[in-house]
Amino acid sequence: MQKEILTELEDLRDETEFIINNEEIVESKHVENYLRSLERIRYNIFNKIKLREKYEVNEQDKINYLNNRYKATVENDILKIYIPEVIPKYKNINNYAYKNIMLNVMEKTKEYKDLFNNQLVFVFIKVVENQKNIDIDNKFIKPIVDRTCIIKSNSR
């Protein structure tokens, strides 16, 4: 598994060197492709680390990275989900960053599956972002509620 991670990092290094060493021919499409690749590689590495830590590493040797900061807790019949990253806009949901967010939320909420079976549920979403004039309607939050299977309706 460590060899796979090193291969991913070597690929990233090669792409980074291309961007740095060819600034005269690098266009915005190259940078966009690089950023997509960076996100894909980051996602793949995190998944490999997560898998490795699940089976091979002692608790004290685990790496503390952003994915570990996701939380889901229940207090007084209120499920609180903490997402330590910015949720992408609706038009940006087909990227690895959003996929990573969804997988982390699903992982942290799986113990609460069907918690609110056939009950009247109020969903309150509090988004804390350091951005003025944020338009929350453009954030793609609904699948977080749907895919976690916390709320189950009669129609399912």
Side-chain angles (χ1 to χ4, degrees), residues 43-125:
Y43 175 79
N44 289 342
I45 289 172
F46 280 155
N47 279 335
K48 287 178 176 117
I49 288 171
K50 195 180 209 179
L51 188 65
R52 181 179 140 265
E53 288 182 347
K54 186 175 184 178
Y55 297 108
E56 300 173 13
V57 177
N58 296 333
E59 199 64 36
Q60 69 268 15
D61 293 331
K62 287 189 175 184
I63 296 171
N64 187 15
Y65 58 102
L66 186 62
N67 290 3
N68 294 343
R69 292 178 41 208
Y70 281 74
K71 291 185 176 61
T73 57
V74 173
E75 293 176 27
N76 301 324
D77 291 330
I78 298 172
L79 173 65
K80 295 180 181 183
I81 302 171
Y82 173 71
I83 300 172
E85 341 187 35
V86 175
I87 297 172
K89 294 180 180 172
Y90 181 77
K91 65 182 180 179
N92 296 329
I93 61 166
N94 290 326
N95 62 29
Y96 284 93
Y98 186 72
K99 186 177 180 182
N100 188 54
I101 289 170
M102 289 302 298
L103 289 174
N104 280 316
V105 169
M106 288 168 47
E107 175 70 22
K108 292 298 180 182
T109 59
K110 69 182 177 187
E111 68 182 282
Y112 305 114
K113 184 179 185 316
D114 300 332
L115 179 66
F116 302 111
N117 277 350
N118 301 316
Q119 295 179 21
L120 180 61
V121 175
F122 175 76
V123 177
F124 172 76
I125 299 169

Side-chain angles (χ1 to χ4, degrees), residues 129-144:
E129 257 185 58
N130 292 333
Q131 178 181 344
K132 292 183 180 181
N133 302 324
I134 185 173
D135 185 358
I136 195 64
D137 292 344
N138 289 334
K139 296 291 183 179
F140 204 52
I141 297 173
K142 187 176 181 326
I144 291 172

Side-chain angles (χ1 to χ4, degrees), residues 26-43:
V26 170
E27 298 175 7
S28 60
K29 68 177 181 180
H30 293 112
V31 175
E32 286 178 33
N33 287 337
Y34 171 76
L35 292 174
R36 274 191 214 94
S37 182
L38 172 65
E39 192 55 44
R40 177 186 49 78
I41 290 169
R42 181 184 83 98
Y43 175 79

